[in-house]
Amino acid sequence: MTTSMRSAARAGTPPAARLRAGRAATFAYFALNGFLMGMWIVHIPSVEHRAGISHAVLGWLLLLLGAGAFVGMQIVGPLTDRFGARTVVPLSAALCSVTLFLPGLATHAWSLGSALLLLGFGNGCLDVSMNAHAVQVERDYRRPVMSAFHATFSLGGVLASLVGARTLAWGWHPAASLGAVALLGLAVAALAAPALLPTADSPAPASPAADGAAPARRTTPRRIWLLAVLALMIMLCEGVANDWSALHLRTVLDAPAATAALAYGAFATAMTVGRLLADRAARRLGPAAVLRYGAATAAAGLTAAALSPWIPLALAGWAVFGAGLSGCVPQLFSAAGHADPDNAGTNVSRVAGLGYLGMLAGPAAIGPLTRFAPLNLTLLLPVACCLVAAATAGILRTRPTTTLPGDAGATA
């Protein structure tokens, strides 16, 4: 019986019910995170217009969003390990909700830049802390459940697109709609908090200071950095799909604008469905197989899309690309969190931080490459990243401190 189960038993709550409640709360925070960021994305055009800035200036300001997220991830990881996800997740969700309101108030570049820096910081804090709690839930469930959480994040984004489209059609001011969502986020953060799992008690390690020696400084293991590099490559691919899939069909295959938009829709839909199924695959085949065959499938799909002269085949290729990538990042986050339960937050922050940089760097790298090669050939860069990830997926077969039943199948 795990420590969290024993704590639940002492509190008079059946362990199974406690775990189900903790899992439901984790779903709520992932959906909230996807909904908050989706609402920001939907309102980008109106916020840009209100701030009176150009597309070029907006592009630079969006880098502040990424910078804030990276800083937040690195700060909140150790804080989650120290104070527990049950404390940090609700506070991070509240911070992310409040800062969502700020871009709606921006009237010039400087105020929007400051707002995006704070929003990025709040998003980074929530991203790492909720993933650290997801690792704790997965550990107590003793089976893979991480991919379903990430699927819920995607569903939150879909819901945001529907709600945002409706509020924009009603003519709501950005501050009004984002403010209403911020209040909703604060309510969800408070209501879901009691169901989060308590921090597992672990025996305190012997203090080196007691022997007169200086305490050793904890360093991030080499394996965590390798997982982080893989996350950078996989999330680079996701970033390319987010920003360049529609442009690929529009400029390379001369597809109508409405048809070109289906490229990202095919990718996102396939990724969401794939994440709903990836936990079963990880349990049956092992995380290494999910990463290896998923990355290889993604490489095949994007190659077909990039080289296809036909729009239907290109759309199918983007869908296969999304399906292949769907289960990869959750396996990397899960492996980082389970490598050392006492430092799950810190390890997840390293992997998520580099992954986030990859998501920003991917789209940025494609643009300059198009000066030297056609857009469809520049897409071979993410194909190469997928092939590297497939070739090095064996790193997930390394036994973490806490094993899951699915690890036994990691023989691919």
Side-chain angles (χ1 to χ4, degrees), residues 7-277:
S7 299
R10 287 194 297 267
T13 304
R18 182 62 170 152
L19 281 176
R20 285 195 297 270
R23 187 182 184 188
T26 310
F27 277 127
Y29 284 110
F30 270 81
L32 174 63
N33 192 200
F35 185 69
L36 294 175
M37 298 313 297
M39 287 296 292
W40 152 244
I41 291 171
V42 169
H43 284 84
I44 286 178
S46 56
V47 169
E48 179 190 43
H49 176 73
R50 176 175 169 78
I53 59 176
S54 65
H55 294 334
V57 173
L58 176 65
W60 286 106
L61 294 181
L62 288 175
L63 293 178
L64 293 175
L65 181 74
F70 182 81
V71 173
M73 289 175 179
Q74 304 314 305
I75 291 177
V76 86
L79 291 178
T80 302
D81 293 332
R82 181 174 181 181
F83 298 106
R86 191 179 192 185
T87 299
V88 178
V89 171
L91 294 177
S92 298
L95 177 62
C96 190
S97 299
V98 170
T99 54
L100 177 69
F101 176 58
L102 300 180
L105 300 175
T107 55
H108 49 72
W110 291 107
S111 58
L112 180 57
S114 301
L116 292 181
L117 186 66
L118 293 174
L119 175 59
F121 183 84
N123 178 53
C125 291
L126 179 55
D127 193 318
V128 166
S129 59
M130 71 184 186
N131 272 287
H133 186 265
V135 169
Q136 185 178 348
V137 171
E138 187 174 61
R139 185 182 305 127
D140 283 351
Y141 260 90
R142 303 294 297 169
R143 61 184 174 87
V145 295
M146 179 67 78
S147 292
F149 294 135
H150 285 253
T152 308
F153 175 91
S154 300
L155 293 175
V158 172
L159 179 61
S161 69
L162 299 176
V163 173
R166 176 49 53 192
T167 58
L168 289 170
W170 287 338
W172 284 24
H173 190 282
S177 55
L178 295 179
V181 172
L183 293 176
L184 175 64
L186 290 174
V188 172
L191 293 174
L196 294 174
L197 299 180
T199 303
D201 299 323
S202 57
S207 174
D211 299 328
R217 182 179 180 180
R218 191 180 295 274
T219 59
T220 302
R222 176 173 172 268
R223 180 171 181 263
I224 297 301
W225 289 119
L226 293 176
L227 293 173
V229 171
L230 287 177
L232 183 149
M233 292 181 178
I234 295 298
M235 294 181 72
L236 180 150
C237 297
E238 292 186 23
V240 168
N242 292 343
D243 288 12
W244 290 97
S245 54
L247 283 172
H248 163 245
L249 261 72
R250 188 80 176 98
T251 60
V252 176
L253 299 180
D254 198 27
T259 302
L262 295 176
Y264 175 70
F267 170 84
T269 301
M271 173 166 279
T272 302
V273 173
R275 284 179 169 172
L276 291 172
L277 302 175

Side-chain angles (χ1 to χ4, degrees), residues 314-346:
L315 289 173
W318 283 109
V320 172
F321 185 52
L325 290 180
S326 61
C328 295
V329 167
Q331 307 312 313
L332 297 172
F333 280 21
S334 178
H338 290 297
D340 181 0
D342 292 335
N343 294 279
T346 300

Side-chain angles (χ1 to χ4, degrees), residues 297-401:
T297 299
L302 186 54
T303 300
L307 302 181
S308 171
W310 304 296
I311 292 175
L313 179 57
L315 289 173
W318 283 109
V320 172
F321 185 52
L325 290 180
S326 61
C328 295
V329 167
Q331 307 312 313
L332 297 172
F333 280 21
S334 178
H338 290 297
D340 181 0
D342 292 335
N343 294 279
T346 300
N347 290 339
V348 169
S349 73
R350 301 292 187 259
V351 175
L354 272 189
Y356 202 85
L357 289 181
M359 183 169 285
L360 294 175
I366 293 297
L369 288 177
T370 57
R371 296 183 178 182
F372 307 100
L375 174 57
N376 61 325
L377 294 184
T378 65
L379 297 179
L380 297 180
L381 171 63
V383 169
C385 290
C386 288
L387 293 176
V388 171
T392 57
I395 188 175
L396 293 184
R397 289 204 299 263
T398 303
R399 292 275 180 187
T401 302

